[in-house]
Short mmCIF file of all heavy atoms in Angstrom, two decimals:
data_model
loop_
_atom_site.label_atom_id
_atom_site.label_comp_id
_atom_site.label_asym_id
_atom_site.label_seq_id
_atom_site.Cartn_x
_atom_site.Cartn_y
_atom_site.Cartn_z
N MET B 1544 39.63 54.09 73.03
CA MET B 1544 40.68 55.08 72.85
C MET B 1544 41.09 55.16 71.43
O MET B 1544 41.15 56.24 70.80
CB MET B 1544 41.92 54.59 73.67
CG MET B 1544 43.15 55.54 73.51
SD MET B 1544 44.56 54.94 74.48
CE MET B 1544 45.58 56.43 74.43
N PHE B 1545 41.30 54.04 70.78
CA PHE B 1545 41.74 54.05 69.40
C PHE B 1545 40.64 54.62 68.46
O PHE B 1545 40.88 55.30 67.50
CB PHE B 1545 42.13 52.64 68.92
CG PHE B 1545 43.23 51.92 69.74
CD1 PHE B 1545 43.21 50.56 69.84
CD2 PHE B 1545 44.14 52.71 70.41
CE1 PHE B 1545 44.23 49.91 70.57
CE2 PHE B 1545 45.13 52.04 71.23
CZ PHE B 1545 45.16 50.62 71.26
N ASN B 1546 39.43 54.34 68.82
CA ASN B 1546 38.23 54.84 67.99
C ASN B 1546 38.11 56.30 68.20
O ASN B 1546 37.81 57.05 67.20
CB ASN B 1546 37.04 54.13 68.47
CG ASN B 1546 35.96 54.26 67.30
OD1 ASN B 1546 36.19 54.12 66.12
ND2 ASN B 1546 34.77 54.59 67.80
N ALA B 1547 38.27 56.79 69.32
CA ALA B 1547 38.21 58.31 69.51
C ALA B 1547 39.29 59.01 68.76
O ALA B 1547 39.05 60.02 68.08
CB ALA B 1547 38.36 58.65 71.03
N LEU B 1548 40.52 58.52 68.73
CA LEU B 1548 41.57 59.05 67.92
C LEU B 1548 41.20 58.93 66.48
O LEU B 1548 41.37 59.85 65.59
CB LEU B 1548 42.88 58.38 68.24
CG LEU B 1548 43.41 58.66 69.68
CD1 LEU B 1548 44.66 57.75 69.94
CD2 LEU B 1548 43.74 60.09 69.97
N ALA B 1549 40.63 57.77 66.03
CA ALA B 1549 40.39 57.61 64.55
C ALA B 1549 39.29 58.55 64.10
O ALA B 1549 39.39 59.09 63.01
CB ALA B 1549 39.94 56.09 64.38
N ARG B 1550 38.27 58.80 64.99
CA ARG B 1550 37.14 59.72 64.50
C ARG B 1550 37.76 61.10 64.34
O ARG B 1550 37.19 61.83 63.47
CB ARG B 1550 36.07 59.68 65.56
CG ARG B 1550 35.17 58.49 65.52
CD ARG B 1550 33.86 58.76 66.41
NE ARG B 1550 34.19 59.36 67.68
CZ ARG B 1550 34.11 58.68 68.86
NH1 ARG B 1550 33.78 57.43 68.87
NH2 ARG B 1550 34.49 59.36 70.04
N ALA B 1551 38.86 61.43 64.99
CA ALA B 1551 39.40 62.80 64.89
C ALA B 1551 40.44 62.75 63.73
O ALA B 1551 41.15 63.67 63.54
CB ALA B 1551 40.02 63.21 66.22
N GLY B 1552 40.59 61.60 63.02
CA GLY B 1552 41.51 61.52 61.94
C GLY B 1552 42.95 61.46 62.40
O GLY B 1552 43.87 61.77 61.63
N ILE B 1553 43.23 60.98 63.66
CA ILE B 1553 44.53 60.95 64.16
C ILE B 1553 45.15 59.51 63.98
O ILE B 1553 44.63 58.55 64.51
CB ILE B 1553 44.59 61.25 65.66
CG1 ILE B 1553 44.05 62.82 65.86
CG2 ILE B 1553 45.98 61.23 66.31
CD1 ILE B 1553 43.84 63.17 67.27
N ASN B 1554 46.29 59.42 63.27
CA ASN B 1554 46.86 58.22 63.02
C ASN B 1554 47.72 57.76 64.26
O ASN B 1554 48.51 58.62 64.76
CB ASN B 1554 47.74 58.18 61.77
CG ASN B 1554 48.16 56.84 61.29
OD1 ASN B 1554 47.39 55.91 61.36
ND2 ASN B 1554 49.47 56.68 60.94
N ILE B 1555 47.69 56.53 64.61
CA ILE B 1555 48.48 56.06 65.71
C ILE B 1555 49.81 55.41 65.23
O ILE B 1555 49.87 54.46 64.52
CB ILE B 1555 47.73 55.00 66.58
CG1 ILE B 1555 46.45 55.53 67.05
CG2 ILE B 1555 48.60 54.49 67.73
CD1 ILE B 1555 45.49 54.52 67.60
N ASP B 1556 50.95 56.01 65.63
CA ASP B 1556 52.29 55.65 65.15
C ASP B 1556 52.80 54.46 65.90
O ASP B 1556 53.33 53.53 65.37
CB ASP B 1556 53.21 56.84 65.16
CG ASP B 1556 54.55 56.40 64.58
OD1 ASP B 1556 54.64 56.21 63.38
OD2 ASP B 1556 55.54 56.33 65.47
N MET B 1557 52.66 54.42 67.14
CA MET B 1557 53.19 53.38 68.08
C MET B 1557 52.20 53.22 69.27
O MET B 1557 51.60 54.11 69.67
CB MET B 1557 54.60 53.63 68.64
CG MET B 1557 55.61 53.60 67.61
SD MET B 1557 57.31 53.55 68.27
CE MET B 1557 58.28 53.33 66.83
N ILE B 1558 52.17 52.02 69.76
CA ILE B 1558 51.31 51.62 70.94
C ILE B 1558 52.13 50.82 71.97
O ILE B 1558 52.85 49.96 71.52
CB ILE B 1558 50.08 50.82 70.49
CG1 ILE B 1558 49.26 51.55 69.42
CG2 ILE B 1558 49.21 50.51 71.76
CD1 ILE B 1558 48.15 50.62 68.76
N SER B 1559 51.94 51.14 73.23
CA SER B 1559 52.67 50.41 74.24
C SER B 1559 51.77 50.40 75.49
O SER B 1559 51.13 51.39 75.74
CB SER B 1559 53.97 51.06 74.54
OG SER B 1559 54.46 50.74 75.77
N THR B 1560 51.62 49.29 76.19
CA THR B 1560 50.73 49.22 77.38
C THR B 1560 51.48 48.66 78.56
O THR B 1560 52.41 47.89 78.35
CB THR B 1560 49.49 48.40 77.02
OG1 THR B 1560 49.89 47.01 76.88
CG2 THR B 1560 48.66 48.85 75.94
N SER B 1561 50.97 48.96 79.74
CA SER B 1561 51.30 48.15 80.88
C SER B 1561 49.99 48.01 81.68
O SER B 1561 48.97 48.53 81.26
CB SER B 1561 52.33 48.92 81.75
OG SER B 1561 51.73 49.97 82.47
N ASN B 1562 49.97 47.38 82.78
CA ASN B 1562 48.65 47.04 83.37
C ASN B 1562 47.81 48.22 83.72
O ASN B 1562 46.53 48.18 83.55
CB ASN B 1562 48.81 46.16 84.55
CG ASN B 1562 49.51 46.90 85.74
OD1 ASN B 1562 50.12 47.74 85.54
ND2 ASN B 1562 49.46 46.34 86.90
N SER B 1563 48.37 49.47 83.93
CA SER B 1563 47.50 50.57 84.20
C SER B 1563 47.69 51.79 83.29
O SER B 1563 47.32 52.85 83.56
CB SER B 1563 47.76 50.99 85.70
OG SER B 1563 49.11 51.29 85.73
N ARG B 1564 48.23 51.46 82.08
CA ARG B 1564 48.42 52.62 81.15
C ARG B 1564 48.40 52.14 79.78
O ARG B 1564 48.97 51.07 79.39
CB ARG B 1564 49.83 53.24 81.53
CG ARG B 1564 50.21 54.42 80.77
CD ARG B 1564 51.64 54.84 81.17
NE ARG B 1564 51.60 55.48 82.50
CZ ARG B 1564 51.75 56.75 82.79
NH1 ARG B 1564 51.92 57.54 81.73
NH2 ARG B 1564 51.76 57.31 83.99
N ILE B 1565 47.73 52.85 78.82
CA ILE B 1565 47.81 52.64 77.44
C ILE B 1565 48.40 53.89 76.77
O ILE B 1565 47.83 54.97 76.95
CB ILE B 1565 46.42 52.38 76.76
CG1 ILE B 1565 45.68 51.21 77.48
CG2 ILE B 1565 46.59 52.10 75.31
CD1 ILE B 1565 44.28 50.94 76.98
N SER B 1566 49.51 53.77 76.08
CA SER B 1566 50.22 54.91 75.57
C SER B 1566 50.29 54.80 73.98
O SER B 1566 50.54 53.71 73.50
CB SER B 1566 51.65 55.01 76.05
OG SER B 1566 51.69 55.30 77.31
N CYS B 1567 49.98 55.93 73.34
CA CYS B 1567 50.09 56.01 71.86
C CYS B 1567 50.98 57.13 71.52
O CYS B 1567 50.92 58.26 72.06
CB CYS B 1567 48.70 56.29 71.26
SG CYS B 1567 47.54 54.95 71.51
N LEU B 1568 51.84 56.89 70.42
CA LEU B 1568 52.58 57.98 69.84
C LEU B 1568 51.72 58.49 68.73
O LEU B 1568 51.28 57.72 67.86
CB LEU B 1568 53.93 57.50 69.30
CG LEU B 1568 55.13 57.35 70.20
CD1 LEU B 1568 56.42 57.18 69.42
CD2 LEU B 1568 55.30 58.68 71.11
N ILE B 1569 51.55 59.76 68.67
CA ILE B 1569 50.69 60.35 67.71
C ILE B 1569 51.37 61.66 67.11
O ILE B 1569 52.26 62.16 67.88
CB ILE B 1569 49.31 60.72 68.15
CG1 ILE B 1569 49.41 61.72 69.40
CG2 ILE B 1569 48.44 59.48 68.50
CD1 ILE B 1569 48.15 62.35 69.80
N PRO B 1570 50.96 62.24 66.01
CA PRO B 1570 51.63 63.50 65.56
C PRO B 1570 51.47 64.56 66.52
O PRO B 1570 50.41 64.79 67.02
CB PRO B 1570 50.81 63.80 64.31
CG PRO B 1570 50.25 62.47 63.89
CD PRO B 1570 50.09 61.73 65.05
N ARG B 1571 52.61 65.26 66.91
CA ARG B 1571 52.58 66.29 67.91
C ARG B 1571 51.64 67.35 67.68
O ARG B 1571 51.01 67.95 68.53
CB ARG B 1571 54.03 66.90 68.08
CG ARG B 1571 54.09 67.70 69.33
CD ARG B 1571 55.18 68.77 69.28
NE ARG B 1571 56.28 68.71 68.40
CZ ARG B 1571 57.32 67.95 68.51
NH1 ARG B 1571 57.43 67.17 69.60
NH2 ARG B 1571 58.26 67.87 67.68
N ASP B 1572 51.42 67.77 66.37
CA ASP B 1572 50.60 68.91 66.17
C ASP B 1572 49.13 68.54 66.23
O ASP B 1572 48.17 69.42 66.20
CB ASP B 1572 50.85 69.51 64.68
CG ASP B 1572 50.79 68.47 63.65
OD1 ASP B 1572 50.50 67.25 63.95
OD2 ASP B 1572 50.98 68.72 62.41
N LEU B 1573 48.80 67.29 66.51
CA LEU B 1573 47.39 66.85 66.90
C LEU B 1573 47.20 66.59 68.28
O LEU B 1573 46.15 66.09 68.68
CB LEU B 1573 47.10 65.69 65.92
CG LEU B 1573 47.02 65.88 64.39
CD1 LEU B 1573 46.81 64.64 63.67
CD2 LEU B 1573 46.07 67.03 64.03
#
Side-chain angles (χ1 to χ4, degrees):
Chain B
M1544 179 184 196
F1545 302 154
N1546 196 45
L1548 295 172
R1550 283 196 310 256
I1553 298 172
N1554 192 45
I1555 303 167
D1556 183 69
M1557 290 193 175
I1558 305 170
S1559 160
T1560 63
S1561 77
N1562 63 345
S1563 57
R1564 185 181 286 252
I1565 305 176
S1566 293
C1567 292
L1568 274 192
I1569 58 165
R1571 191 205 338 280
D1572 54 1
L1573 298 175

